[in-house]
Amino acid sequence: MLGKSCPAGYKKARKGTGRVDLQAIVDDIAAAIAAQTDRGAVATYIPGLAKVDPQRFGIAIATADGAMLTSGDASAPFSIQSISKVFALTLALGKVGDQLWERVGREPSGTAFNSIVQLEAEKGIPRNPFINAGAIVVADVNLGAHQPREAIGEMLQFLRYLAEDDSVHIDEDIARGEQDTGFRNLALGNYMRAFGNLRHAVDLTLGVYFHQCAIAMSCVQLARAGRFLMFDGRLPGGSRVVSPARARRINALMLTCGHYDASGDFAFRVGMPGKSGVGGGILAVVPGRASIAVWSPGLNANGNSTLGTMALQMLAEATGWSIFQPHE
Ligand code: DON
């Protein structure tokens, strides 16, 4: 699949007026994805994810001019999993600011999302906030002086606010599955606690982490929630969520670390800051232009959505939205 370009048809959407017909592009992408036979493998470590139909596909694009373009299962909630790490990081930076970087790095790991190997040599400081170890430290910061229930409630409220939708919720079945099978995450938490890099009891911090992974959102809700990252930290109405510098830095981390050991390949193929989750979702940001969510549950060997990545590559090729392409 490496280097696969757009099937014929995408470029057609530009013909005639020279303007991009985004809805035509989105519909063409959905049709091309529906025709794919190699869909990757749905995550099976918990029953709640294993039962998801691999044929499902959704795409939603919130554009800078306020439009929302959708195709496929764009309104169906799915488990956002590691995409939650973007919003958890945003909250943690709001609480402790740059002090966070004393406990978490900002470098790509080049290892799997749940890897433990670097923690020994790097004294319990995870490489970045998007690998599991880093997200567990972020969850520890967000727990702060709260009870786990309050910390996860705060996260949920934040996502409901950004998505302008109170139906964003936690899938309790998925949360239980994470808790029942999260031995490796517990190992990461205990290991970091041994280095003094967790402030709370490991089971409390992990309770926050497991529940944030179990948040269910649709592509439409996620695309809305990502808008502050396309608007330099502001919402469309002008309310500020984070400073411009912080929004740019979160985007930088998404580009360099958002797809684990496949972050380079995602930047190469798509050229947008993006964050994946093992539920098959990807949130991608085109600063100044769009916040995009795609969902296809089948994963590649790195735990990133196979066809979600392909859909974003098609979108980037059809629109010229790679951040590396000069914008007029
Ligand atoms: O920590 C875990 O194992 C999962 N709940 C989340 C991992 C995840 O989404 C990794 N992303 N591709």
mmCIF file of all heavy atoms in Angstrom, residues 258-277:
data_model
loop_
_atom_site.group_PDB
_atom_site.id
_atom_site.type_symbol
_atom_site.label_atom_id
_atom_site.label_comp_id
_atom_site.label_asym_id
_atom_site.label_seq_id
_atom_site.Cartn_x
_atom_site.Cartn_y
_atom_site.Cartn_z
ATOM 1 N N GLY A 258 2.287 11.160 16.377
ATOM 2 C CA GLY A 258 0.879 10.750 16.451
ATOM 3 C C GLY A 258 0.577 9.369 15.922
ATOM 4 O O GLY A 258 -0.495 8.822 16.180
ATOM 5 N N HIS A 259 1.529 8.784 15.168
ATOM 6 C CA HIS A 259 1.306 7.435 14.627
ATOM 7 C C HIS A 259 2.417 6.478 15.060
ATOM 8 O O HIS A 259 2.757 5.538 14.346
ATOM 9 C CB HIS A 259 1.174 7.482 13.106
ATOM 10 C CG HIS A 259 -0.164 7.970 12.640
ATOM 11 N ND1 HIS A 259 -0.559 9.286 12.761
ATOM 12 C CD2 HIS A 259 -1.211 7.319 12.075
ATOM 13 C CE1 HIS A 259 -1.790 9.410 12.289
ATOM 14 N NE2 HIS A 259 -2.214 8.239 11.872
ATOM 15 N N TYR A 260 3.004 6.763 16.238
ATOM 16 C CA TYR A 260 4.009 5.866 16.827
ATOM 17 C C TYR A 260 5.172 5.632 15.854
ATOM 18 O O TYR A 260 5.650 6.574 15.242
ATOM 19 C CB TYR A 260 3.355 4.538 17.293
ATOM 20 C CG TYR A 260 2.068 4.814 18.015
ATOM 21 C CD1 TYR A 260 0.833 4.545 17.457
ATOM 22 C CD2 TYR A 260 2.108 5.438 19.257
ATOM 23 C CE1 TYR A 260 -0.343 4.850 18.123
ATOM 24 C CE2 TYR A 260 0.939 5.752 19.935
ATOM 25 C CZ TYR A 260 -0.272 5.453 19.350
ATOM 26 O OH TYR A 260 -1.423 5.769 20.002
ATOM 27 N N ASP A 261 5.532 4.341 15.664
ATOM 28 C CA ASP A 261 6.665 4.040 14.797
ATOM 29 C C ASP A 261 6.300 4.140 13.304
ATOM 30 O O ASP A 261 7.122 3.806 12.454
ATOM 31 C CB ASP A 261 7.288 2.675 15.129
ATOM 32 C CG ASP A 261 6.273 1.596 15.427
ATOM 33 O OD1 ASP A 261 5.082 1.911 15.630
ATOM 34 O OD2 ASP A 261 6.663 0.422 15.461
ATOM 35 N N ALA A 262 5.092 4.600 13.007
ATOM 36 C CA ALA A 262 4.730 4.855 11.615
ATOM 37 C C ALA A 262 4.478 6.354 11.399
ATOM 38 O O ALA A 262 3.876 6.743 10.391
ATOM 39 C CB ALA A 262 3.492 4.054 11.230
ATOM 40 N N SER A 263 4.935 7.186 12.320
ATOM 41 C CA SER A 263 4.681 8.636 12.192
ATOM 42 C C SER A 263 5.380 9.213 10.966
ATOM 43 O O SER A 263 4.837 10.079 10.268
ATOM 44 C CB SER A 263 5.148 9.376 13.451
ATOM 45 O OG SER A 263 4.418 8.930 14.575
ATOM 46 N N GLY A 264 6.571 8.728 10.685
ATOM 47 C CA GLY A 264 7.293 9.204 9.499
ATOM 48 C C GLY A 264 6.539 8.838 8.236
ATOM 49 O O GLY A 264 6.396 9.660 7.326
ATOM 50 N N ASP A 265 6.035 7.607 8.193
ATOM 51 C CA ASP A 265 5.316 7.159 6.999
ATOM 52 C C ASP A 265 4.018 7.945 6.813
ATOM 53 O O ASP A 265 3.648 8.296 5.682
ATOM 54 C CB ASP A 265 5.021 5.657 7.108
ATOM 55 C CG ASP A 265 4.492 5.096 5.806
ATOM 56 O OD1 ASP A 265 5.169 5.278 4.781
ATOM 57 O OD2 ASP A 265 3.392 4.519 5.804
ATOM 58 N N PHE A 266 3.345 8.261 7.916
ATOM 59 C CA PHE A 266 2.105 9.045 7.815
ATOM 60 C C PHE A 266 2.413 10.456 7.294
ATOM 61 O O PHE A 266 1.701 10.978 6.432
ATOM 62 C CB PHE A 266 1.406 9.106 9.178
ATOM 63 C CG PHE A 266 0.043 9.748 9.133
ATOM 64 C CD1 PHE A 266 -1.068 9.028 8.736
ATOM 65 C CD2 PHE A 266 -0.117 11.091 9.474
ATOM 66 C CE1 PHE A 266 -2.333 9.626 8.679
ATOM 67 C CE2 PHE A 266 -1.373 11.698 9.415
ATOM 68 C CZ PHE A 266 -2.475 10.956 9.020
ATOM 69 N N ALA A 267 3.486 11.057 7.798
ATOM 70 C CA ALA A 267 3.877 12.390 7.314
ATOM 71 C C ALA A 267 4.246 12.320 5.839
ATOM 72 O O ALA A 267 3.917 13.211 5.050
ATOM 73 C CB ALA A 267 5.045 12.925 8.137
ATOM 74 N N PHE A 268 4.913 11.247 5.452
ATOM 75 C CA PHE A 268 5.342 11.058 4.066
ATOM 76 C C PHE A 268 4.141 10.914 3.129
ATOM 77 O O PHE A 268 4.072 11.520 2.070
ATOM 78 C CB PHE A 268 6.215 9.792 4.010
ATOM 79 C CG PHE A 268 6.767 9.434 2.672
ATOM 80 C CD1 PHE A 268 7.977 9.953 2.235
ATOM 81 C CD2 PHE A 268 6.087 8.549 1.839
ATOM 82 C CE1 PHE A 268 8.499 9.601 0.995
ATOM 83 C CE2 PHE A 268 6.590 8.195 0.601
ATOM 84 C CZ PHE A 268 7.802 8.729 0.174
ATOM 85 N N ARG A 269 3.163 10.127 3.574
ATOM 86 C CA ARG A 269 2.027 9.832 2.688
ATOM 87 C C ARG A 269 0.944 10.895 2.732
ATOM 88 O O ARG A 269 0.308 11.200 1.720
ATOM 89 C CB ARG A 269 1.420 8.480 3.069
ATOM 90 C CG ARG A 269 2.330 7.323 2.698
ATOM 91 C CD ARG A 269 1.816 6.014 3.242
ATOM 92 N NE ARG A 269 0.456 5.736 2.790
ATOM 93 C CZ ARG A 269 -0.248 4.690 3.199
ATOM 94 N NH1 ARG A 269 0.265 3.844 4.070
ATOM 95 N NH2 ARG A 269 -1.459 4.489 2.753
ATOM 96 N N VAL A 270 0.683 11.427 3.923
ATOM 97 C CA VAL A 270 -0.472 12.323 4.108
ATOM 98 C C VAL A 270 -0.019 13.773 4.277
ATOM 99 O O VAL A 270 -0.605 14.693 3.705
ATOM 100 C CB VAL A 270 -1.322 11.861 5.319
ATOM 101 C CG1 VAL A 270 -2.479 12.812 5.561
ATOM 102 C CG2 VAL A 270 -1.826 10.427 5.109
ATOM 103 N N GLY A 271 0.998 13.987 5.112
ATOM 104 C CA GLY A 271 1.523 15.344 5.305
ATOM 105 C C GLY A 271 0.613 16.237 6.140
ATOM 106 O O GLY A 271 0.505 17.438 5.882
ATOM 107 N N MET A 272 -0.038 15.642 7.145
ATOM 108 C CA MET A 272 -0.877 16.439 8.071
ATOM 109 C C MET A 272 -0.588 15.963 9.492
ATOM 110 O O MET A 272 -0.378 14.774 9.706
ATOM 111 C CB MET A 272 -2.372 16.174 7.839
ATOM 112 C CG MET A 272 -2.893 16.500 6.473
ATOM 113 S SD MET A 272 -4.622 15.920 6.344
ATOM 114 C CE MET A 272 -4.891 16.158 4.579
ATOM 115 N N PRO A 273 -0.618 16.875 10.477
ATOM 116 C CA PRO A 273 -0.605 16.405 11.859
ATOM 117 C C PRO A 273 -1.784 15.447 12.051
ATOM 118 O O PRO A 273 -2.905 15.751 11.625
ATOM 119 C CB PRO A 273 -0.822 17.685 12.675
ATOM 120 C CG PRO A 273 -0.386 18.795 11.771
ATOM 121 C CD PRO A 273 -0.717 18.336 10.372
ATOM 122 N N GLY A 274 -1.526 14.282 12.650
ATOM 123 C CA GLY A 274 -2.617 13.308 12.803
ATOM 124 C C GLY A 274 -2.417 12.457 14.032
ATOM 125 O O GLY A 274 -1.288 12.247 14.480
ATOM 126 N N LYS A 275 -3.536 12.018 14.616
ATOM 127 C CA LYS A 275 -3.447 11.106 15.771
ATOM 128 C C LYS A 275 -4.385 9.943 15.547
ATOM 129 O O LYS A 275 -5.570 10.132 15.251
ATOM 130 C CB LYS A 275 -3.825 11.842 17.068
ATOM 131 C CG LYS A 275 -3.695 10.967 18.311
ATOM 132 C CD LYS A 275 -2.250 10.727 18.696
ATOM 133 C CE LYS A 275 -2.062 9.420 19.463
ATOM 134 N NZ LYS A 275 -2.010 8.222 18.596
ATOM 135 N N SER A 276 -3.845 8.741 15.703
ATOM 136 C CA SER A 276 -4.631 7.529 15.462
ATOM 137 C C SER A 276 -5.068 6.886 16.777
ATOM 138 O O SER A 276 -4.544 7.203 17.838
ATOM 139 C CB SER A 276 -3.772 6.524 14.694
ATOM 140 O OG SER A 276 -2.710 6.089 15.532
ATOM 141 N N GLY A 277 -6.004 5.954 16.672
ATOM 142 C CA GLY A 277 -6.422 5.138 17.814
ATOM 143 C C GLY A 277 -6.706 3.726 17.342
ATOM 144 O O GLY A 277 -7.056 3.533 16.161
#
